[in-house]
Amino acid sequence: MTGAHGRTLVRVEGLTKAFGATTALGGVDLTIHAGEVVAVVGHNGSGKSTLVKLLAGFHSPDGGTVDTRTSGGSPTELRFIHQDLGLVGSLSTVENLALGTNTVRPWRRLRRSDERREARELVRRLGVDADVDAPIEMLSPAERTIVAIARALRGWDELPEVVLVLDEPTAALHGAEVDQLMDVVRRVAEHGAGVLFISHRLDEVLDVADTIVALRNGRVVGNLLRSEADYARLVELVAGHAVEELDRRDTGRGTEVLRVRGLSGGAIRLFDASVHAGEIVGLAGILGSGRDDVCAAVFGAAHRTSGAVAVHGREVAAGDIRDSIRQGVAFVPGDRHRHGAVMTMTAVENLVSVLIPGATSPWHRVRRRSELREAARWFDACGVLPAQPEMELTQFSGGNQQKIVLAKWLRTQPQLLLLEEPTQGVDVGARAAIHRLIVDAAERGAAVLVASSETKELAQLCDRVLVLADGVVVEELSGSELTENRILHASVPA
Amino acid sequence: MSVASTAHHEQTDSVWRDLRQLLSFRNISAIYIWVAMVILFSVLAPETFPTLDTVRIVLTDQAVTAVLAIGLVIPLAAGAFDLSIGSQLGLGAILVAWLLRTQGLGLVPAIIGTLAIGACVGLANGLLVTKAKISSFITTLGMSSVLLALISWVSQDSQILNLGSGFQQIANRQILSIPMSVYIMVVLAICVWYILDNTYLGRAVYATGGNAEAARLAGIGTDRVIIVSLISCSLLATVAGIVLSSSLATGDPTVGPPYMLPAFAAAFLGSTQFRNGRFNILGTIVAVYVLATGVKGLQLIGAPVWIPELFNGVALLIAVAVTRRRSSRKRARSAETTSLTADQAA
């Protein structure tokens, strides 16, 4: 597709928007052609969301133009898929696709079979074989996104000039699901639509885009063809400087901290592992491989059907989280909003929310001054910005929230650190900072277990990676064998 | 020297900022409304409203509502509803009279027995919510009906009179011409405030209300927190019932349910005050008295009898609407501040 674009569908010129004294967007130029996937990348706060909101007409621009007419003069329609997809979870795909189509005669009798046929065709055209009668909430996150795309593209045949705008569509998706979605995005472009793809995940952008626009501080700092771009170049553009690669010095293994024997529960079957002090062990695998069930089962937060977990030779019982914490186990869950933090409380309240059993009784008086002093130290150590510990957690950016959640557990001085997707939804700068914190913890003698869908992260961070498939470890990689390719290769069951 | 003086400047600046924040209309709107109402009613009813008697009557009348609302704040903070507080107050009121008069128990055993049964109701609510996993809304709605039946059965639907002067003294004895019921309320308010605001237990309650799963994974026994908060609420509702029977000198089977709505209105209105949308004791007490001042003022200028119901209902709706609006605005603002701060950081 590269180079041979179709007609111009949308032309954005000099788009500018300021909030108060801060320029959110300063003179952005952007062109989308038919059949082209244009990716916009940037940190949180680089102006990506402002751009989407201006295109959607949510804000009006202070300057510049958005021209939504093709070179031929016919109008282009922009269709948006926002992060929360706007689907009704309890209704089926068929019903969701039909929503809003008969507003003219709401009392008209439903033609279920027609609706079902249309829905099935639409979804199949996107190359997905989902059950169109199942409630949306039963579908995987990727399938849900695809249904949202199908809905946005409804009636597209009669109206060929469409630009699909996807705002961070992969934020909630895991590795294999991302691939599924990327296929759909490419298919949509092949059918002649333009796609504007907003993301901060650089590798997937490199995967799908024809043209990449990098934003920093509201300005376009790079407008590259796919062939001109590589990962390092994008990182440099987005961050404004080259982000130093993580250097792990080999600290050698200490004593054995974690020993897991025959652990089953969730998707995992008879999982064995041993992690030593100072060691970072990764857990890889596709969605459903059991990768995401290990940490919670080891921590005792999820049900175990069998097996034994011991930390420093002492049994960690399932279901007794206070006991796990007492034995020096820390668990940073993958879903920050649902499991990781109390978003409505302040940063400092979250930071000190893990009571170290034995050290503080619940009747203990809260000492606000010393808490704030401690928070200031952690904010400094983890580089949390803005340095306002009394701000509610929701008001921090995703990367800073994640640093606070990590700090909350590092504060307990864990012997064993269990991490799920530690850098999900986090920009490049914060990602490097979080990796640094993890490595520091390991160098101080913690044993670390990291489950991640990002193979690049695992290859950079870990001493050893266990690859899971169908609930069992199928490969163990370390040293020179530990590469992204080997992980990917082992993840996919033959 | 100059460094020290800038530091000093910054400090005074931040003190000013804190003070402005503290006194802002957003933070303490109820107090401003209170002052406005006092001035308004003093002008409209100069003979009857601005008198010491009115102050004393409002203070005393609302002690029971305030105790109930204090109790309600605890489960609300932990993320659980208690719709049975009105019936629990009624149960406390009738049980203590029944134990004293019909069963002929002494004052102390009667009160202890009533509190114990009240606690059992709370425990039942707590177990149904945490173990049977019925939502607190439904659990306590069902419980309130069960309790009404119990009240009716115990009392045979008639008042229980002649409770003895010792029992009446509990609420009515006056110190500095203020009845005991007010002192009881103040002491309970201070205790609950201290626990919710100043101990890790209180933190655990708010964390459970904010995100129960995250709290559980941080090692907080969230089931226990919910059970204990529902028991505390039941105990306070029972105390409110005992105080009410004592001040009326009667066990009346119909007194409970009308107290529920004012307590909810006060707790929700209170959550819009002082603590930025969090349920809190000080805000709740202020809200109880702001609402009562409004009702009293309207009565004194000759408003019809249905005014209190209307006033409380509208106040509850407005309070909840304000909270919702504020939190959605905060979300919108936070999206923008994150981009601003990230820009500054870069």
Side-chain angles (χ1 to χ4, degrees):
Chain A
M1 198 55 55
T2 315
H5 298 313
R7 292 181 296 165
T8 305
L9 296 180
V10 172
R11 190 189 300 276
V12 172
E13 270 167 7
L15 204 59
T16 304
K17 178 75 189 175
F19 295 107
T22 317
T23 309
L25 219 53
V28 168
D29 299 331
L30 180 70
T31 311
I32 306 166
H33 301 94
E36 182 189 27
V37 179
V38 178
V40 175
V41 295
H43 273 184
N44 292 328
S46 60
K48 288 178 312 208
S49 343
T50 312
L51 176 63
V52 174
K53 285 179 182 161
L54 285 170
L55 290 177
F58 184 79
H59 293 313
S60 48
D62 295 339
T65 54
V66 178
D67 186 3
T68 54
R69 271 169 311 170
T70 63
S71 16
S74 52
T76 303
E77 268 205 44
L78 294 172
R79 306 271 172 96
F80 293 84
I81 312 277
H82 295 286
Q83 255 188 64
D84 70 275
L85 304 167
L87 300 171
V88 182
S90 56
L91 298 184
S92 70
T93 299
V94 177
E95 289 164 324
N96 267 289
L97 288 176
L99 275 187
T101 49
N102 351 320
T103 42
V104 190
R105 287 180 295 159
W107 56 87
R108 203 197 63 180
R109 199 173 64 82
L110 296 174
R111 295 179 191 287
R112 285 181 213 279
S113 57
D114 289 358
E115 281 180 1
R116 174 169 301 120
R117 193 170 35 76
E118 280 167 28
R120 204 170 284 148
E121 258 169 41
L122 206 50
V123 174
R124 194 167 299 152
R125 238 174 64 188
L126 296 175
V128 185
D129 193 23
D131 177 4
V132 293
D133 292 314
I136 290 289
E137 58 205 2
M138 306 288 284
L139 302 182
S140 75
E143 287 170 338
R144 269 179 244 166
T145 311
I146 290 163
V147 171
I149 292 176
R151 190 165 81 158
L153 293 178
R154 194 180 46 199
W156 170 35
D157 289 332
E158 296 96 72
L159 192 137
E161 321 293 5
V162 166
V163 170
L164 186 65
V165 182
L166 293 154
D167 188 6
E168 302 274 2
T170 56
L173 307 187
H174 296 280
E177 296 185 323
V178 171
D179 295 343
Q180 195 184 6
L181 182 65
M182 292 303 158
D183 281 344
V184 170
V185 169
R186 244 173 260 127
R187 212 175 283 250
V188 168
E190 275 160 23
H191 278 86
V195 177
L196 187 65
F197 187 92
I198 316 286
S199 180
H200 61 246
R201 286 196 187 174
L202 303 179
D203 29 2
E204 71 191 27
V205 161
L206 286 168
D207 209 32
V208 76
D210 300 309
T211 311
I212 301 169
V213 176
L215 288 182
R216 178 161 27 99
N217 298 338
R219 287 174 203 286
V220 175
V221 290
N223 191 334
L224 321 169
L225 289 178
R226 167 65 189 90
S227 50
E228 304 165 334
D230 61 40
Y231 191 83
R233 176 91 193 276
L234 283 186
V235 168
E236 204 174 323
L237 283 174
V238 165
H241 53 86
V243 174
E244 55 181 307
E245 283 291 308
L246 201 62
D247 69 304
R248 283 276 278 122
R249 67 200 156 80
D250 195 1
T251 42
R253 289 170 159 203
T255 53
E256 183 180 67
V257 175
L258 172 72
R259 174 180 284 254
V260 183
R261 284 286 164 268
L263 183 66
S264 298
I268 46 175
R269 286 179 290 135
L270 299 174
F271 175 84
D272 292 325
S274 157
V275 184
H276 294 251
E279 196 182 24
I280 303 178
V281 174
L283 295 164
I286 60 169
L287 192 70
S289 62
R291 176 196 73 205
D292 299 321
D293 296 334
V294 173
C295 286
V298 168
F299 188 56
H303 182 67
R304 299 178 196 154
T305 46
S306 71
V309 175
V311 171
H312 283 305
R314 259 197 63 196
E315 186 84 3
V316 177
D320 190 351
I321 287 166
R322 286 165 63 80
D323 187 55
S324 305
I325 295 171
R326 194 175 300 124
Q327 293 192 48
V329 187
F331 173 46
V332 179
D335 190 333
R336 187 170 57 237
H337 290 260
R338 278 173 58 206
H339 306 137
V342 185
M343 303 304 288
T344 53
M345 294 181 93
T346 64
V348 57
E349 284 172 327
N350 270 286
L351 186 71
V352 301
S353 66
V354 184
L355 291 191
I356 298 137
T360 16
S361 104
W363 297 98
H364 231 274
R365 198 181 144 74
V366 170
R367 302 195 185 284
R368 292 217 166 71
R369 286 244 179 89
S370 72
E371 278 183 0
L372 280 176
R373 270 200 303 275
E374 199 183 347
R377 276 204 305 280
W378 280 106
F379 271 47
D380 193 39
C382 305
V384 178
L385 285 170
Q388 288 170 22
E390 277 180 304
M391 210 159 85
E392 248 177 50
L393 201 63
T394 37
Q395 299 185 308
F396 287 87
S397 70
N400 285 306
Q401 289 173 5
Q402 186 68 11
K403 287 183 203 165
I404 293 166
V405 174
L406 188 58
K408 149 179 144 181
W409 285 106
L410 291 176
R411 183 177 159 270
T412 65
Q413 301 188 321
Q415 311 277 313
L416 172 64
L417 188 55
L418 304 168
L419 304 164
E420 278 178 7
E421 304 289 349
T423 59
Q424 194 180 59
V426 153
D427 63 51
V428 187
R431 182 183 141 109
I434 288 167
H435 284 172
R436 192 71 251 163
L437 288 169
I438 296 171
V439 170
D440 286 347
E443 281 173 1
R444 275 196 308 274
V448 184
L449 198 58
V450 194
S452 177
S453 57
E454 272 193 67
T455 44
K456 187 182 215 52
E457 169 166 71
L458 292 174
Q460 279 178 347
L461 194 62
C462 299
D463 300 302
R464 192 151 59 89
V465 170
L466 307 176
V467 184
L468 285 94
D470 290 328
V472 293
V473 177
V474 290
E475 184 82 84
E476 182 171 339
L477 301 166
S478 61
S480 60
E481 289 180 337
L482 179 48
T483 62
E484 270 190 83
N485 266 335
R486 289 293 297 269
I487 298 173
L488 280 172
H489 199 71
S491 302
V492 184
Chain B
M1 183 65 204
S2 75
V3 175
S5 79
T6 23
H8 181 71
H9 263 295
E10 266 168 29
Q11 208 166 12
T12 27
D13 274 0
S14 90
V15 168
W16 270 114
R17 212 176 30 242
D18 288 354
L19 200 66
R20 267 216 309 277
Q21 159 85 15
L22 191 74
L23 296 178
S24 71
F25 185 76
R26 283 174 52 80
N27 196 37
I28 54 167
S29 53
I31 303 235
Y32 290 112
I33 292 170
W34 201 354
V35 171
M37 281 195 308
V38 168
I39 295 170
L40 180 71
F41 291 128
S42 301
V43 173
L44 292 177
E47 307 287 299
T48 46
F49 185 80
T51 62
L52 213 56
D53 272 346
T54 309
V55 173
R56 197 175 298 138
I57 290 168
V58 170
L59 203 58
T60 312
D61 276 359
Q62 295 304 311
V64 170
T65 312
V67 171
L68 193 64
I70 293 164
L72 179 62
V73 165
I74 307 169
L76 286 180
F81 268 91
D82 192 342
L83 295 175
S84 62
I85 47 167
S87 328
Q88 291 189 43
L89 185 150
L91 183 70
I94 206 72
L95 262 183
V96 74
W98 182 72
L99 289 175
L100 275 171
R101 188 78 193 130
T102 318
Q103 301 299 309
L105 258 55
L107 190 58
V108 174
I111 288 173
I112 290 175
T114 309
L115 289 174
I117 293 170
C120 289
V121 173
L123 180 66
N125 276 337
L127 291 175
L128 285 168
V129 171
T130 56
K131 305 299 173 202
K133 313 249 181 244
I134 308 172
S135 85
S136 60
F137 199 85
I138 301 297
T139 300
T140 55
L141 192 63
M143 182 59 77
S144 94
S145 182
V146 171
L147 296 181
L148 287 180
L150 199 63
I151 291 167
S152 178
W153 177 55
V154 167
S155 66
Q156 306 293 325
D157 279 330
S158 54
Q159 293 190 340
I160 301 173
L161 303 170
N162 299 327
L163 302 179
S165 67
F167 180 66
Q168 288 181 38
Q169 287 293 309
I170 292 174
N172 296 328
R173 183 204 293 178
Q174 299 200 340
I175 299 171
L176 302 171
S177 65
I178 293 171
M180 280 301 285
S181 53
V182 176
Y183 293 101
I184 293 173
M185 182 272 286
V186 171
V187 169
L188 291 172
I190 290 172
C191 292
V192 177
W193 166 79
Y194 181 81
I195 293 170
L196 278 185
D197 252 30
N198 292 290
T199 67
Y200 287 99
L201 184 64
R203 250 324 142 66
V205 170
Y206 283 115
T208 305
N211 182 348
E213 189 54 21
R216 188 178 78 89
L217 291 175
I220 293 169
T222 48
D223 280 0
R224 224 177 316 165
V225 166
I226 289 170
I227 293 173
V228 168
S229 68
L230 283 168
I231 292 177
S232 314
C233 176
S234 297
L235 277 172
L236 283 157
T238 310
V239 169
I242 295 172
V243 170
L244 182 60
S245 278
S246 164
S247 64
L248 297 173
T250 312
D252 185 324
T254 63
V255 290
Y259 277 92
M260 183 178 84
L261 196 93
F264 267 91
F268 276 93
L269 189 58
S271 78
T272 65
Q273 306 294 309
F274 308 119
R275 297 294 307 280
N276 206 5
R278 222 178 254 190
F279 290 103
N280 69 91
I281 296 298
L282 183 59
T284 302
I285 303 277
V286 168
V288 166
Y289 284 102
V290 170
L291 292 173
T293 306
V295 169
K296 193 76 201 166
L298 288 167
Q299 284 171 343
L300 289 177
I301 62 169
V305 286
W306 41 263
I307 274 295
E309 303 273 1
L310 179 74
F311 195 76
N312 284 324
V314 170
L316 175 63
L317 296 175
I318 290 176
V320 176
V322 167
T323 327
R324 288 268 178 285
R325 216 186 118 154
R326 201 181 273 181
S327 62
S328 64
R329 216 186 308 147
K330 192 155 57 185
R331 224 169 295 133
R333 215 183 33 235
S334 85
E336 255 136 50
T337 42
T338 7
S339 44
L340 297 188
T341 48
D343 279 350
Q344 281 153 8

